[in-house]
């Protein structure tokens, strides 16, 4: 059982992980169209029990936000599922009631303390806490924050109808735009000194990453460019949710190259305990070293 709140320092920055939920998600052969049991066999010794349930061969995934504190700025990266939202057919997410905001507060952040919310992309599990239900309406959860996301994802999802992405756009993205709190980005965007947002298209057309560089240390928040740690060993494997397969492979490799060359920590949205890792080169692919903070 992982701790739902944890802290670490990266250069002058303090990074806090706040977990919303964790547990079994998809069967690995469903999540990865190229799935090969041999990869599980080769890495079984570390995959069980934190990353794979071997009886059902399901991926164990976490759902968390990262909060970056740097130079007096509090930046919340990705906002999970949220409470009270209509999310059928995902029963675990539908009208979810969890202590996310209490955990955030326990970690030292009231909603009004967040200066910036950054969504790596506009999928349902990355925008949920953008808003919360007040008197029957969806209102911004973080009233003092500027919400940053890519214009490309906004354009991609704005006319969608009839599915979960359309529902989450309507209740978790549109209210932010209507309240005048959205800042949509095109291309690279410097959020602050040492915090660079960069396009990493593929999983969604407008997926972005956030690089944190402070002194000699660095980290990169990668959203869903990798869903599961096994993709470090098979960087060509897309998840079934990657919309642009070729672009996703290029972006994933670019991020892993950056981590290996720069010694940067990889900070994804769904890896199990300890949730982030260093990347080493291993032939044509890569290997990971878990980082315990
Ligand atoms: Zn996700």
């Amino acid at each position: 059982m992982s701790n739902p709140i944890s802290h670490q320092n990266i250069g002058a920055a303090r990074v806090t992980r706040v977990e919303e939920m964790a547990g079994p998600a998809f069967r690995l052969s469903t999540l990865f169209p190229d799935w090969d049991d041999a990869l599980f066999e080769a890495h079984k010794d570390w995959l069980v029990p934190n990353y794979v349930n071997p009886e059902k061969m399901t991926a164990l995934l976490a759902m968390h936000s990262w909060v970056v504190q740097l130079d007096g700025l509090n930046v919340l990266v990705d906002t999970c599922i949220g409470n009270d939202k209509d999310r059928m057919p995902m029963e675990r997410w539908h009208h979810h009631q969890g202590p996310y905001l209490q955990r955030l507060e326990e970690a030292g952040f009231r909603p009004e303390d967040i200066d910036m919310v950054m969504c790596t992309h506009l999928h349902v599990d990355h925008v949920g806490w953008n808003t919360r239900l007040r008197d029957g309406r969806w209102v911004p959860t973080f009233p003092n924050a500027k919400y940053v996301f890519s214009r490309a994802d906004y354009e991609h999802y704005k006319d969608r109808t009839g599915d979960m992405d359309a529902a989450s756009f309507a209740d978790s993205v549109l209210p932010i735009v209507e309240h005048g709190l959205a800042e949509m980005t095109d291309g690279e965007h410097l959020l602050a000194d040492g915090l660079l947002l960069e396009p990493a298209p593929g999983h969604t057309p407008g997926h972005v990453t956030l690089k944190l560089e402070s002194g000699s240390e660095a980290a990169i928040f990668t959203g869903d460019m990798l869903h599961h740690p096994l993709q470090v060993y098979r960087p060509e494997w897309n998840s079934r949710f990657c919309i642009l397969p070729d672009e996703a492979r290029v972006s994933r490799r670019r991020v892993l190259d950056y981590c290996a060359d720069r010694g940067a920590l990889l900070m994804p949205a769904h890896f199990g305990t300890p949730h982030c890792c260093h990347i080493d080169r291993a032939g044509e692919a890569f290997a990971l070293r878990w980082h315990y903070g």
Side-chain angles (χ1 to χ4, degrees), residues 10 234 268 275:
I10 295 167
R234 290 287 186 279
H275 313 287

Side-chain angles (χ1 to χ4, degrees), residues 22-27 51-53 56 58-62 90 92-93:
F26 310 92
R27 285 180 65 87
Y51 313 102
V52 171
N53 172 333
K56 298 183 173 161
T58 45
L60 302 175
L61 300 179
M90 291 296 283
R92 270 186 345 124
W93 298 351

